[in-house]
């Protein structure tokens, strides 16, 4: 029986900034349009957190039953380490995804019913990442999905549900958030290249190889930095996003220095913190500027 702490660890709390940051950024974009609504922001946050936890448990289940997590250099997984039964982890995943679905349905009905279709696509993307007979996460498309769902969909969706429109500021925030969110997955997959290749999980990192994956990670961080400068065209206050630069430098240091295995685990934490601090700074800047 897994302990409570192990279940919390199984939810992969280091990835939760991927859920919080897009909602914060999207709410800042809505504030820029004078349309921020705190209660819709909270609903969007509930959707994002529930789906992220659901995806993490679903990945734990699917990777565990496939044997992908039998040998790992990162934190132990519930199914792969035999800490919990596959059925119990699958139940946790379904419950979390159901909470996200209900919250998303309420948000869509209160904003624009056509968003229900977007929610269905998000749920399908959550399960098919490592689930199903041909998971796209095993074919190198995980980073693309993270960019789309945790960047474009999450940020622009949050802005739209509050303002009922999007603009170029929201798009710039969405692309930057997507790049930062993808960099978290890139760091994770960089660490797991040897074991993923052995388990025939062909992630983008496996396809690129170690050296090019490290360059790709740094390019994603740089993309967010460039877009921060672009956002200063909307208001100079957006320079506040540069406050996250020291965190980004710290996150990239192990990647640039060639560290591997468990030594890359802090990169996930620091990249997530970079994204969260950046999103809060940009949202505050856009809110104050208006």
């Amino acid at each position: 029986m897994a302990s409570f702490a192990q279940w919390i660890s199984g939810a992969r709390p280091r990835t939760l900034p991927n859920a919080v940051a897009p909602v914060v950024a999207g709410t800042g974009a809505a504030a820029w349009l004078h349309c921020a609504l705190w209660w819709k922001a909270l609903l969007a946050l509930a959707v994002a957190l529930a789906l992220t936890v659901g995806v993490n448990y679903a990945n734990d289940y699917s990777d565990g039953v496939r044997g992908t997590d039998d040998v790992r250099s990162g934190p132990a997984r519930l199914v792969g380490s035999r800490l919990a039964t596959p059925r119990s982890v699958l139940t946790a995943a379904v419950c979390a995804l159901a909470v996200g679905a209900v919250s998303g349905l309420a948000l869509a009905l209160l904003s624009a019913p056509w968003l229900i279709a977007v929610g269905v696509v998000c749920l399908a993307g959550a399960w098919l990442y490592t689930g199903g007979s041909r998971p796209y996460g095993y074919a190198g498309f995980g980073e693309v999905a993270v960019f789309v769902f945790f960047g474009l969909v999450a940020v622009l969706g949050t802005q739209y549900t509050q303002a009922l429109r999007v603009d170029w500021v929201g798009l710039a925030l969405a692309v930057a958030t997507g790049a930062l969110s993808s960099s978290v997955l890139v760091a994770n997959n960089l660490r797991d290249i040897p074991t993923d290749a052995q388990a025939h999980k062909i992630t983008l990192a496996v396809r690129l190889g170690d050296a090019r994956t490290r360059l790709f990670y740094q390019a994603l961080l740089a993309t967010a930095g460039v877009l921060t400068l672009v956002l200063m065209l909307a208001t100079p206050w957006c320079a506040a996003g540069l406050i996250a630069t020291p965190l980004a430098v710290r996150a990239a240091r192990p990647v640039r220095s060639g560290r591997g295995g468990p030594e890359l685990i802090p990169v996930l934490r620091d990249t997530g913190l970079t994204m969260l601090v950046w999103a809060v700074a940009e949202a505050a800047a856009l809110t104050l500027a208006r």
Side-chain angles (χ1 to χ4, degrees):
M1 292 290 292
S3 67
F4 178 75
Q6 288 168 331
W7 276 104
I8 295 297
S9 178
R12 307 183 194 182
R14 289 188 181 88
T15 67
L16 294 186
N18 292 57
V20 178
V23 175
V24 172
T27 301
W32 174 251
L33 297 176
H34 301 284
C35 296
L37 295 171
W38 67 268
W39 60 274
K40 283 191 174 183
L42 289 179
L43 262 179
L45 183 60
V47 173
L49 287 171
L51 290 184
T52 300
V53 171
V55 167
N56 289 339
Y57 282 136
N59 291 351
D60 192 307
Y61 166 79
S62 297
D63 285 343
V65 296
R66 282 190 170 89
T68 306
D69 287 340
D70 287 351
V71 179
R72 287 183 51 79
S73 59
R77 297 298 182 227
L78 293 168
V79 177
S81 299
R82 311 299 190 268
L83 295 171
T85 64
R87 185 179 182 86
S88 63
V89 176
L90 177 60
T91 300
V94 171
C95 289
L97 292 175
V99 170
V102 171
S103 301
L105 178 62
L107 185 58
L109 292 175
L110 292 168
S111 304
W114 62 266
L115 289 173
I116 295 173
V118 177
V120 171
V121 173
C122 290
L123 287 172
W127 175 252
L128 294 176
Y129 174 51
T130 56
S133 59
R134 301 183 66 179
Y136 63 84
Y138 280 61
F141 295 107
E143 285 79 2
V144 175
V146 167
F147 178 82
V148 171
F149 291 121
F150 288 93
L152 301 182
V153 173
V155 176
L156 294 178
T158 300
Q159 184 185 29
Y160 186 85
T161 54
Q162 297 179 51
L164 296 182
R165 63 189 178 101
V166 297
D167 67 345
W168 75 268
V169 170
L171 181 60
L173 289 168
V175 173
T177 304
L180 290 171
S181 193
S182 295
S183 68
V184 175
L185 182 59
V186 170
N188 181 77
N189 289 343
L190 170 64
R191 182 198 66 209
D192 292 340
I193 285 177
T195 53
D196 282 346
Q198 182 180 355
H200 305 291
K201 183 178 182 179
I202 311 303
T203 62
L204 181 60
V206 171
R207 291 184 183 277
L208 292 176
D210 186 274
R212 285 187 292 181
T213 299
R214 293 176 190 274
L215 291 175
F216 182 47
Y217 171 84
Q218 294 173 73
L220 289 171
L221 293 185
T223 297
V226 170
L227 286 169
T228 301
L229 301 179
V230 171
L231 284 164
M232 290 173 62
L233 297 175
T235 170
W237 284 87
C238 282
L242 298 175
I243 195 174
T245 301
L247 283 171
V249 171
R250 186 175 74 178
R253 190 174 295 122
V255 176
R256 294 183 59 190
S257 62
R259 302 289 180 87
E263 293 178 309
L264 288 173
I265 293 175
V267 177
L268 277 71
R269 176 202 62 206
D270 292 340
T271 307
L273 285 174
T274 298
M275 175 169 53
L276 188 57
V277 169
W278 175 85
V280 170
E282 293 298 81
L286 291 166
T287 301
L288 291 173
R290 303 302 279 182

